[in-house]
Amino acid sequence: MRLFVAVVPPVEIVNQVGDFLEPRRDADPALRWTEPYQWHLTLAFLPEVGARQVDDLIERLTRAAAKRDPFAVRLAGSGAFPTVPHARVLWLGASADPPESLPRLATGVRAAANKAGAVVHGGRFRPHLTLARIRQPQDATRWLRILDSYDAGAWPATSIELIESHLGQGRGGHPRYQAVASLGLGQG
């Protein structure tokens, strides 16, 4: 199974970001915009999880989530992967109040996944919401100026989601996401 653990923004925030992006979506044909229903803040990406590991993974993630209190999340700032001059991905940044909440939650989630035998892929945790992918690397400075003008209100993060990703099965060849479990924060 191809899974990830994420904080999913509420529909009001998704709608706000969508409204901000709507008049800009046709400005650059090189950008492939992600679908709003797919927006999330990835805490851990688990590309190969055996079906027998899922129950243990959920149990460990439940304990990890229970150790963290709910916190406020805000989308503001922007960036590009791998670098701004050679961007392949555009994103909105995310921060938390208290500031250490998201990094600590990601650390706990990644540790829980490792203990369940699920290998976590990816580098250092950088909280972000992926907005667009770029076919050929390009300088994203202009886009970052635009995205930096966006600042959503904060919302309460009260749970983490374990989500299965089915590559190429969604609209327009995008992945199709299927919720596996929703785990409440501070439930311990």
Side-chain angles (χ1 to χ4, degrees):
M1 299 175 78
R2 182 182 177 91
L3 302 171
F4 61 89
V5 183
V7 172
V8 177
V11 71
E12 305 84 47
I13 298 297
V14 169
N15 289 340
Q16 286 177 18
V17 175
D19 291 346
F20 175 78
L21 293 177
E22 186 58 37
R24 296 159 175 87
R25 283 185 175 264
D26 294 329
D28 186 342
L31 270 59
R32 292 174 296 154
W33 295 95
T34 57
E35 296 292 332
Y37 68 87
Q38 295 179 315
W39 290 341
H40 60 274
L41 307 174
T42 303
L43 301 169
F45 173 56
L46 317 169
E48 296 178 27
V49 179
R52 293 185 311 272
Q53 295 172 292
V54 173
D55 288 341
D56 186 35
L57 175 63
I58 291 171
E59 184 177 316
R60 291 178 185 277
L61 289 173
T62 299
R63 288 197 300 265
K67 292 177 183 176
R68 300 287 168 221
D69 290 328
F71 54 90
V73 178
R74 173 180 224 99
L75 297 174
S78 63
F81 293 135
T83 64
V84 174
H86 300 95
R88 296 292 308 247
V89 174
L90 297 177
W91 48 264
L92 277 177
S95 61
D97 184 21
E100 69 279 356
S101 300
L102 272 169
R104 285 186 180 166
L105 180 58
T107 298
V109 161
R110 290 172 180 211
N114 282 325
K115 288 177 186 170
V119 177
V120 178
H121 279 225
R124 180 177 64 87
F125 175 66
R126 182 175 295 178
H128 68 279
L129 187 85
T130 298
L131 298 176
R133 297 191 186 326
I134 305 170
R135 288 177 175 78
Q136 295 295 321
Q138 66 175 303
D139 185 337
T141 303
R142 174 177 67 98
W143 279 106
L144 298 190
R145 280 192 208 111
I146 293 166
L147 295 174
D148 279 345
S149 70
Y150 180 78
D151 187 358
W155 82 85
T158 58
S159 66
I160 58 173
E161 313 300 319
L162 178 62
I163 299 170
E164 184 174 7
S165 175
H166 302 274
L167 293 180
Q169 293 183 13
R171 286 187 258 171
H174 290 280
R176 178 177 59 84
Y177 294 158
Q178 178 180 349
V180 174
S182 180
L183 312 163
L185 298 178
Q187 303 292 313

